[in-house]
Amino acid sequence: MLMPYHVQPTLYMLVPAKMKRMNVHRILVETILKHDLMRMMLVWLLWEINLCDFSRGERTDFEAAAEPECNSAETNFYSNNGDDTLGYSKVDHKRSSMDGWNLTSQKLIDSFPLDPIRQNYVRQVRECIFSAVQPTPFKSAVTLVAVSKEVVEDLLDLDVSITETQEFIQFVSGARVLPGMISLAHRYGGHQFGVWSGQLGDGRAHLLGVYVNRRGTRWELQLKGSGKTPYSRDGDGRAVLRSSVREFLCSEALNYLGVPTSRAASLVLSNDDVKRDQFYNGNVKNEKGAIVLRVAKSWFRFGSLEILAYSGEIELLRKLVDFVIEQYFPLINATSSNKYLEFFSQVVTDTSYLIAHWMSVGFAHGVCNTDNFSILSITIDYGPFGFMDYYDPNFVPNTSDDEGRYKIGNQANIGRYNLDKLQKALNPLLDPMQQLLTEQILKGYPDLYQTKFLELFKAKLGLSGLDNNDGYLVAYLLKLMEDTQADFTMTFRQLSEITKQHLKVNNISEEYWALQDLAKHEKFLDWINLYLLRLKRNAADSDEARIIRMQSVNPRYILRNWMAESAIKKSERNDFSEVHLLQKILRHPFTKQTEAEGAGYSSRPPPWAKDLRVSCSS
């Protein structure tokens, strides 16, 4: 099974017998009724919890692809409240100049104490959320490798022509400070590979400021690879070209796949030498430095809360969580005594949905540490990620992960582990009864995840309505795929392209190469018969409608490792053509494209793809 959850008795059990979503308030009611002394709380507790019984993840499948704001999958997940005092969101058009286009960190600075030490050197920092520190420009000239027109124009209100100016290139490479801009490095901690690592923080990232666009949406702009900060530890504060190309492409690719994610506005390359031991084997090489301008609603993560709880800075912890609730969770009553409980409930739900979405496209994050998990449940901190080629629940994209802790088949369990650490970080803000209730909320995580997982995979198979055997049908297919090492993406895609009649008579032509691999299994026809029988139970559904529906959720193109590697190798020779081609193709992953077919992006991966290795070094 793609994602066996550890509480399940068998490896291939996808979902519990009940297919309905577990409501958080039902869990709490059952808990409360077991305790006489708690019954009096039932009425007000249900009132408070129902305020947050919505879910930002509970839209129709891949609905985000049809939403405004650059088709951002996260656009309507969070509050669009802007800071009216900023003034610059009044523009109702794309700017043709950066004059008057300003960023500010003032709300963050006013809300939290800043690190009192302004010198930029590595140290342990306490009693603050941010340190004020400027990016370090490259010494050599920089080249603009790529920009996301959609991010620049639709999120940041800038005409894409601006990206050709030196003014813009200097800004996105950390060499230009806009009027009033105070850049910040965020202090956070985290559990890394299951061990508390203490202070971590933005060791090579600078938050340039907040921009509220013409739609009133708040975006935080951050440079990655922009130099040392107090949190750099033993690092040099830089990022190299190979990892930056991967982050730029994948953050945009996931967005167009409908997966909540941070965005990438630009990628610049320098000739500065950055020394890296890519595979930690003593082979140190000089690589080219690069910077990505990243955009997200917020960069707060689980570790933002953990560092404060571990350091005993409880009032600052309370101030941070209150800020997060007020700024990003508008449906939670900020004056409620139960607001932290509601906040945790929402993060549990959204985290489960995020990981289910990762699984639906075969994406493995690679380093699911608590410092890499967003409080807003978006995909952040792209490192040694990977999309599966052939189906393998033990797929580990990170060669640094010797024990396979973050293999794709363990991501849901790791989500549960990380949420447990978040719950512990919140405990100082909760009374004993609320602590008990957060434990009950967390127990609902498996059902939330499994229900969303099944919903997404039913859509991938074109199944509508309810059927108690749908979980079995999905699990059966995944087992066949595992046994035959059938390609994950193209198996589902080709099922969405082939007709039922061709399946019925087992007429599978060479163009359906992934299905041909699957058909080698002795149980293939048994599964096909079950599948066709289930499709008949789709109410008033034609084969043409099924095909259209399935192709809208099953991508033909994903950012496979071999594609990224090919683009990186060319970029190292200052040939950015494949970066641009991939960027173009991945904007429309569900649509068959002539250029993509010519490049082999939907063909069987080349043999050398199996030997690719990606590490934490970046």
Side-chain angles (χ1 to χ4, degrees):
M1 182 52 240
L2 183 65
M3 180 68 85
Y5 196 81
H6 71 276
V7 299
Q8 295 294 347
T10 62
L11 183 62
Y12 298 107
M13 185 176 293
L14 256 175
V15 294
K18 296 181 180 179
M19 303 303 298
K20 295 181 179 178
R21 175 182 180 270
M22 176 178 287
N23 290 322
V24 172
H25 67 260
R26 191 191 72 202
I27 301 171
L28 300 181
V29 170
E30 290 174 352
T31 303
I32 291 169
L33 292 177
K34 292 178 182 178
H35 301 273
D36 291 340
L37 294 178
M38 296 168 68
R39 283 195 179 105
M40 66 176 61
M41 299 177 59
L42 179 57
V43 174
W44 67 260
L45 184 57
L46 283 179
W47 174 259
E48 300 287 0
I49 293 299
N50 276 323
L51 286 175
C52 196
D53 198 34
F54 78 109
S55 172
R56 293 187 298 264
E58 228 180 327
R59 298 173 294 171
T60 57
D61 294 342
F62 303 98
E63 180 183 343
E67 291 185 344
E69 291 262 341
C70 191
N71 292 342
S72 172
E74 55 157 324
T75 295
N76 288 335
F77 272 42
Y78 315 111
S79 169
N80 284 346
N81 293 337
D83 185 349
D84 293 336
T85 64
L86 298 177
Y88 49 74
S89 62
K90 306 301 183 184
V91 64
D92 59 1
H93 59 279
K94 294 187 288 290
R95 294 180 182 272
S96 58
S97 167
M98 293 188 71
D99 293 340
W101 186 84
N102 297 313
L103 304 174
T104 181
S105 300
Q106 198 59 48
K107 188 167 187 177
L108 295 171
I109 293 172
D110 291 343
S111 299
F112 306 111
L114 273 182
D115 179 5
I117 300 176
R118 295 306 174 94
Q119 291 79 17
N120 186 12
Y121 64 92
V122 175
R123 60 186 181 273
Q124 288 294 307
V125 180
R126 287 187 57 86
E127 302 295 340
C128 70
I129 305 294
F130 296 102
S131 297
V133 56
Q134 290 295 111
T136 303
F138 288 120
K139 297 177 181 178
S140 61
V142 297
T143 301
L144 183 67
V145 174
V147 296
S148 169
K149 180 177 185 291
E150 294 79 6
V151 173
V152 169
E153 292 196 337
D154 295 347
L155 304 191
L156 303 183
D157 297 334
L158 296 173
D159 189 277
V160 72
S161 62
I162 290 177
T163 63
E164 300 174 4
T165 66
Q166 279 301 308
E167 182 182 27
F168 179 84
I169 295 174
Q170 289 177 347
F171 170 69
V172 300
S173 60
R176 175 182 170 84
V177 177
L178 298 181
M181 190 177 85
I182 300 176
S183 61
L184 305 172
H186 176 34
R187 171 191 175 218
Y188 55 81
H191 282 82
Q192 298 190 319
F193 290 90
V195 177
W196 173 245
S197 297
Q199 176 180 293
L200 299 169
D202 288 335
R204 55 179 171 174
H206 294 77
L207 177 63
L208 301 181
V210 177
Y211 180 71
V212 180
N213 69 15
R214 64 188 185 273
R215 295 186 178 93
T217 310
R218 179 185 187 276
W219 295 102
E220 294 186 1
L221 280 68
Q222 184 187 76
L223 295 181
K224 181 177 179 180
S226 44
K228 283 190 174 183
T229 76
Y231 310 101
S232 294
R233 295 179 288 172
D234 296 326
D236 58 12
R238 292 302 186 190
V240 295
L241 176 63
R242 55 182 162 80
S243 63
S244 301
V245 166
R246 286 168 55 83
E247 170 148 5
F248 178 86
L249 289 174
C250 195
S251 53
E252 289 301 282
L254 275 192
N255 173 73
Y256 291 107
L257 287 170
V259 180
T261 178
S262 59
R263 303 296 303 275
S266 65
L267 167 63
V268 296
L269 169 68
S270 81
N271 288 320
D272 285 22
D273 286 336
V274 177
K275 296 184 182 299
R276 285 293 183 271
D277 183 355
Q278 183 175 357
F279 298 112
Y280 306 104
N281 56 8
N283 187 19
V284 179
K285 295 182 178 180
N286 285 330
E287 300 189 47
K288 293 183 178 181
I291 293 177
V292 175
L293 175 59
R294 313 194 297 180
V295 180
K297 296 291 178 64
S298 173
W299 296 99
F300 287 129
R301 66 267 324 272
F302 288 14
S304 304
L305 278 59
E306 285 186 285
I307 189 67
L308 301 177
Y310 269 81
S311 301
E313 299 168 40
I314 307 307
E315 287 310 307
L316 189 52
L317 171 65
R318 187 185 306 278
K319 184 176 291 189
L320 175 57
V321 179
D322 286 347
F323 178 89
V324 168
I325 290 173
E326 180 181 357
Q327 191 69 45
Y328 309 109
F329 293 80
L331 296 187
I332 295 179
N333 183 354
T335 64
S336 167
S337 61
N338 219 36
K339 59 185 175 182
Y340 303 132
L341 193 64
E342 298 174 23
F343 163 71
F344 182 67
S345 172
Q346 194 61 60
V347 177
V348 169
T349 298
D350 291 343
T351 299
S352 71
Y353 287 5
L354 173 64
I355 298 176
H357 274 95
W358 286 353
M359 303 306 298
S360 72
V361 294
F363 175 80
H365 184 280
V367 189
C368 296
N369 296 327
T370 58
D371 55 294
N372 294 334
F373 260 47
S374 162
I375 284 293
L376 302 190
S377 303
I378 61 174
T379 312
I380 61 171
D381 293 358
Y382 290 84
F385 65 83
F387 287 87
M388 284 189 297
D389 286 332
Y390 67 88
Y391 176 74
D392 179 11
N394 293 313
F395 170 62
V396 180
N398 180 5
T399 59
S400 303
D401 186 3
D402 296 329
E403 298 179 357
R405 175 180 176 85
Y406 297 138
K407 63 185 179 182
I408 195 169
N410 200 41
Q411 286 187 140
N413 291 331
I414 293 300
R416 168 65 173 78
Y417 174 90
N418 289 351
L419 287 164
D420 176 72
K421 300 307 177 186
L422 178 64
Q423 187 262 346
K424 287 178 169 57
L426 286 170
N427 267 345
L429 307 182
L430 307 174
D431 62 36
M433 182 171 295
Q434 290 173 328
Q435 292 177 12
L436 172 65
L437 294 175
T438 56
E439 293 174 3
Q440 294 303 314
I441 289 170
L442 193 52
K443 287 181 180 179
Y445 171 84
D447 273 1
L448 290 169
Y449 167 76
Q450 291 160 353
T451 301
K452 190 64 176 180
F453 180 98
L454 184 61
E455 173 192 323
L456 293 170
F457 275 79
K458 283 179 61 177
K460 290 175 74 67
L461 287 176
L463 308 180
S464 59
L466 297 177
D467 190 301
N468 290 334
N469 294 318
D470 285 346
Y472 173 76
L473 186 67
V474 173
Y476 195 167
L477 173 60
L478 294 176
K479 182 64 171 72
L480 299 187
M481 292 170 65
E482 181 179 358
D483 290 348
T484 58
Q485 294 191 338
D487 189 90
F488 178 80
T489 298
M490 292 309 293
T491 294
F492 282 101
R493 177 66 187 196
Q494 290 170 10
L495 281 172
S496 72
E497 295 176 344
I498 196 169
T499 66
K500 289 193 294 185
Q501 181 60 30
H502 283 140
L503 286 175
K504 185 176 181 179
V505 299
N506 197 22
N507 180 15
I508 302 175
S509 60
E510 290 185 2
E511 66 177 305
Y512 302 118
W513 54 268
L515 291 182
Q516 284 189 336
D517 289 347
L518 190 68
K520 295 175 183 177
H521 202 289
E522 61 181 359
K523 298 291 186 181
F524 174 72
L525 290 179
D526 292 340
W527 182 83
I528 289 295
N529 290 332
L530 289 174
Y531 178 51
L532 293 175
L533 185 63
R534 174 62 179 86
L535 288 177
K536 287 183 179 180
R537 293 196 285 273
N538 283 353
D541 193 27
S542 68
D543 204 30
E544 293 77 10
R546 171 193 67 86
I547 287 174
I548 293 173
R549 191 169 65 249
M550 288 177 64
Q551 288 186 14
S552 72
V553 297
N554 286 309
R556 190 170 176 88
Y557 314 109
I558 56 170
L559 182 62
R560 296 176 187 264
N561 265 348
W562 73 265
M563 299 177 190
E565 184 67 13
S566 178
I568 290 166
K569 292 302 183 186
K570 290 180 180 178
S571 295
E572 290 173 343
R573 302 191 298 270
N574 293 321
D575 176 0
F576 309 123
S577 60
E578 192 152 14
V579 170
H580 299 154
L581 176 61
L582 283 169
Q583 189 182 359
K584 176 182 177 181
I585 299 303
L586 295 172
R587 284 193 193 105
H588 306 284
F590 306 106
T591 303
K592 190 172 182 179
Q593 302 170 57
T594 301
E595 285 182 285
E597 297 302 303
Y601 290 164
S602 66
S603 301
R604 192 184 297 276
W608 58 267
K610 294 183 178 180
D611 299 324
L612 286 176
R613 302 169 65 212
V614 182
S615 75
C616 285
S617 170
S618 61

